[in-house]
Amino acid sequence: MIKRLLIALVALILVVGGVVGYNLFRSKMIAQFFANMTQPPVAVSVSEVKPITWQPGLEAIGTAAAVRGTELAVEMGGTVQEIHFKANDKVEKGQVLMQIDDSSERADLASAKAAQDLAETNLKRARQLADRGVSATSNLDQAEASAQEARASVAKLQAVLEKKRLTAPFAGIIGIPQVEVGQYVGTGTTYATLQDRDHMRVDFTLSEQQARHAEAGQTVKVKTEDGSVDLEGKITGIEPKIDPNSRLVTLRAEVPNGEGKLTPGQFVHVTVVLPSEDNVIALPQTVVSSNLYGDSVFVVRKQTPEGADQPQLVAKQVFITLGRRSGTLVEVTKGLKAGDMVVNAGQNKLNSGATVSIDNAISPDPDAPSTEEVMKAFGMEGNAQANSDATSDASADSASDAASDGASDTTSDGAKAQ
């Protein structure tokens, strides 16, 4: 009985040891295979680093307003008698816009004119009597005072009538009427808005550091959020003090708006154009990768790996220092030099030291050189695509073999388990 148990125990140990040993051996061989397997080149596109003429600018957000724009209001209360405009009419300076009922004032004016005529007649008679010496000087003085008072009364009533006859203070586009005929309006009631949209101004703010670079007369570029409007103007004013709460400086620019594309109150993006600078290295912002360690790009370089017969193109991660931004470009102050080939597409599949193949047909940069020009710059013209295809085919075959080996191993394991 004991002998049978020992034989069964020994047999069990041999079977378990064989299975464990085989699995260890297989894992070791698989790891060795993948360690020695050549990774296929990653297809990327590149842009050549070239010094450019940098057009720096100060970015800001502003609000458009008409140079001449106002809310038209009633100067004297009364009942609206006539409205002489419609919404969005083009009106001229001095054009009658609205008439307030002035019948009472007209009657008062007629009475005042009659009193003026009487005062003028009395003054004329007093002067004749004074010239003959049959009237006292005080009578002439009293007649002159009465005539002046009558003239003042007429002028006052005429001014009241003018205030009830509302006219356009300047030419422009008038808005929607805010009152109706027959409505009683009090002094100060707004009845429409009037905007001269031919000339616009834009108010915007800059930080106190940025404001040091701005001055009156500088060119500004104004764009709307959707990019449908692109105008240029000049800075006409800079607030002489800094807002103590926001630490911002308010600036104003005037912008021609002959086509009327810019609307008062519209939200706009403003760029203050600064003097251009030569020999600045700049890249599209999409090329730069940012992480906790800093900003970096992948630069393609030619090198010959150990044991290789011919040179290959390898992507190296290079950390850079960024400077100013302008539109889609960002300035690179340190880390790159003219002539470097920077990966602009496919960098999300890269790690530093990965072998790459150049395919600038997929480049998002319209100014990027062609694939042939890039390979010529590396001194590898005519060979890169063939090598890339051969490497890809070999990698695919190796991966297929590995998959087949894994499948046969799995089948063997299953058979043994059975």
Side-chain angles (χ1 to χ4, degrees):
M1 185 68 181
I2 296 176
K3 184 178 180 180
R4 290 180 180 180
L5 290 175
L6 290 176
I7 293 173
L9 181 60
V10 170
L12 179 61
I13 291 174
L14 290 175
V15 172
V16 172
V19 172
V20 172
Y22 173 77
N23 286 333
L24 292 175
F25 174 76
R26 187 185 66 168
S27 299
K28 180 180 179 182
M29 295 305 293
I30 291 175
Q32 184 177 358
F33 170 79
F34 282 108
N36 296 328
M37 185 179 69
T38 303
Q39 294 293 330
V42 180
V44 298
S45 65
V46 296
S47 296
E48 183 179 357
V49 176
K50 296 180 180 179
I52 65 171
T53 299
W54 178 263
Q55 184 65 69
L58 305 176
E59 305 289 338
I61 294 174
T63 302
V67 172
R68 292 188 300 176
T70 185
E71 300 293 325
L72 300 175
V74 176
E75 295 186 58
M76 294 194 69
T79 302
V80 178
Q81 194 173 49
E82 297 175 350
I83 297 177
H84 298 284
F85 68 91
K86 295 180 181 179
N88 303 117
D89 279 352
K90 175 75 174 179
V91 300
E92 301 297 331
K93 181 179 180 180
Q95 180 178 333
V96 178
L97 302 178
M98 191 170 68
Q99 179 66 56
I100 304 296
D101 182 23
D102 59 357
S103 55
S104 176
E105 287 77 7
R106 288 188 181 279
D108 292 341
L109 178 61
S111 175
K113 285 183 176 180
Q116 180 185 5
D117 292 340
L118 177 61
E120 295 289 352
T121 301
N122 292 336
L123 176 61
K124 182 178 180 181
R125 185 180 297 110
R127 285 175 177 171
Q128 292 175 349
L129 294 175
D131 292 339
R132 296 176 184 177
V134 294
S135 176
T137 304
S138 60
N139 292 337
L140 178 60
D141 293 341
Q142 184 177 1
E144 288 181 347
S146 297
Q148 289 180 357
E149 182 179 0
R151 295 190 200 106
S153 297
V154 171
K156 178 181 179 181
L157 290 171
Q158 286 176 337
V160 170
L161 288 174
E162 287 297 324
K163 289 185 177 182
K164 291 200 170 185
R165 182 172 176 268
L166 306 174
T167 60
F170 53 84
I173 303 295
I174 197 165
I176 300 173
Q178 303 296 319
V179 296
E180 300 293 341
V181 174
Q183 177 183 346
Y184 179 83
V185 292
T187 302
T189 301
T190 299
Y191 65 90
T193 181
L194 181 62
Q195 304 290 328
D196 179 7
R197 295 176 58 177
D198 291 339
H199 298 85
M200 302 289 290
R201 65 174 180 234
V202 176
D203 291 337
F204 59 98
T205 57
L206 294 174
S207 66
E208 53 183 306
Q209 293 81 8
Q210 292 176 319
R212 300 192 190 113
H213 304 288
E215 58 185 23
Q218 279 183 315
T219 301
V220 298
K221 294 182 178 180
V222 177
K223 292 184 179 181
T224 54
E225 183 70 19
D226 59 0
S228 60
V229 178
D230 190 354
L231 303 172
E232 285 193 4
K234 300 286 184 181
I235 295 178
T236 57
I238 302 175
E239 194 68 39
K241 72 169 187 175
I242 299 172
D243 189 327
N245 296 320
S246 64
R247 313 307 303 173
L248 298 175
V249 179
T250 302
L251 297 89
R252 174 171 291 178
E254 289 194 6
V255 181
N257 189 38
E259 298 182 4
K261 293 182 178 180
L262 202 60
T263 304
Q266 194 167 6
F267 169 87
V268 293
H269 293 277
V270 182
T271 302
V272 180
V273 180
L274 299 179
S276 59
E277 303 174 13
D278 296 327
N279 299 320
V280 175
I281 292 179
L283 295 173
Q285 297 186 34
T286 54
V287 171
V288 180
S289 300
S290 300
N291 53 40
L292 295 176
Y293 301 100
D295 302 305
S296 64
V297 295
F298 283 97
V299 178
V300 176
R301 292 172 180 165
K302 184 176 71 171
Q303 68 180 34
T304 304
E306 294 183 4
D309 298 333
Q310 55 184 348
Q312 296 178 350
L313 297 181
V314 177
K316 294 289 186 180
Q317 187 177 22
V318 176
F319 285 91
I320 58 177
T321 302
L322 302 181
R324 299 162 294 179
R325 298 175 187 268
S326 178
T328 60
L329 298 178
V330 59
E331 180 187 19
V332 179
T333 60
K334 187 183 298 183
L336 293 177
K337 64 181 184 299
D340 284 342
M341 295 293 180
V342 177
V343 177
N344 58 31
Q347 62 266 43
N348 58 327
K349 299 178 290 183
L350 293 177
N351 51 49
S352 189
T355 305
V356 298
S357 62
I358 306 300
D359 183 8
N360 265 17
I362 62 174
S363 175
D365 183 4
D367 299 325
S370 64
T371 304
E372 292 75 13
E373 291 174 337
V374 175
M375 302 313 300
K376 186 176 181 180
F378 283 113
M380 300 175 64
E381 58 271 29
N383 298 325
Q385 190 62 40
N387 291 337
S388 175
D389 294 341
T391 304
S392 299
D393 292 342
S395 301
D397 293 341
S398 299
S400 176
D401 294 342
S404 300
D405 293 343
S408 62
D409 292 341
T410 303
T411 304
S412 300
D413 291 343
K416 290 180 179 181
Q418 291 177 356

